[in-house]
Amino acid sequence: ITRNENNELIKLFTNQSFKKLLKHFDIEYNNISGNITNISNSINDIFKCNVSSIQEGLYDLRISTLIAVITNANESIDGSWSINLQDITGVIAAVVSPPVIQLYPDILIVGNSIILEKAGILVLKDPFRRIVNITERNIKAIFRCNN
């Protein structure tokens, strides 16, 4: 990781929504002290599932628990949305249907953090990639980046 990439990750993972998410799991943010390696180690002690492990194929049907920051949101022609989820290990695309958005409008706000459990994985062949399929049952919490 370059110094620039490290600074961008620190900025992303020190926002208010991610601090709230860490507090939800009793991870004391002050103990992390803004070091991306410390943040990563604290998270990996609790969660074995991360974006990198999904992309490597360690989770082909369903993920266990994934925590991430929403970094992009785009509406499709059919009314569904595509969002990007980023954790310390990388970025992965996710699809969100209109009923989920009606229940959880905060899922479209860039900078919010999210906890997903047992979300399905869609595997596309051309080009080969994995996408997280988010349903209302998979969302355990969303933490706002403001308030």
Side-chain angles (χ1 to χ4, degrees):
I1 292 180
T2 68
R3 176 176 281 196
N4 246 2
E5 290 170 331
N6 189 59
N7 289 340
E8 287 300 312
L9 286 172
I10 288 173
K11 184 178 175 184
L12 185 64
F13 294 104
T14 56
N15 76 31
Q16 287 302 313
S17 72
F18 199 73
K19 288 178 183 180
K20 293 174 193 173
L21 184 145
L22 292 176
K23 187 173 183 175
H24 178 81
F25 291 102
D26 294 325
I27 299 174
E28 194 57 47
Y29 180 78
N30 294 334
N31 295 341
I32 293 172
S33 69
N35 180 313
I36 205 66
T37 303
N38 290 345
I39 294 170
S40 180
N41 289 340
S42 295
I43 292 168
N44 287 334
D45 286 346
I46 297 174
F47 306 103
K48 303 303 178 211
C49 179
N50 57 40
V51 167
S52 177
S53 64
I54 295 168
Q55 291 171 332
E56 290 171 9
L58 300 180
Y59 297 89
D60 269 340
L61 298 175
R62 293 202 177 280
I63 60 171
S64 52
T65 301
L66 178 68
I67 62 171
V69 177
I70 299 161
T71 58
N72 195 4
N74 295 302
E75 187 173 14
S76 301
I77 295 172
D78 66 358
S80 65
W81 284 75
S82 162
I83 64 173
N84 285 347
L85 302 174
Q86 182 168 358
D87 70 6
I88 303 293
T89 67
V91 179
I92 193 165
V95 292
V96 186
S97 67
V100 174
I101 294 163
Q102 288 175 346
L103 288 171
Y104 299 99
D106 287 348
I107 199 167
L108 301 178
I109 299 174
V110 171
N112 283 358
S113 295
I114 190 167
I115 303 171
L116 298 173
E117 285 185 359
K118 298 182 180 147
I121 302 296
L122 305 171
V123 181
L124 303 181
K125 299 202 185 259
D126 190 24
F128 185 81
R129 61 190 172 130
R130 289 180 170 81
I131 299 174
V132 178
N133 184 32
I134 300 175
T135 68
E136 56 272 7
R137 290 177 294 190
N138 307 131
I139 299 171
K140 295 306 169 193
I142 297 176
F143 299 89
R144 293 183 56 92
C145 55
N146 52 14
N147 297 349

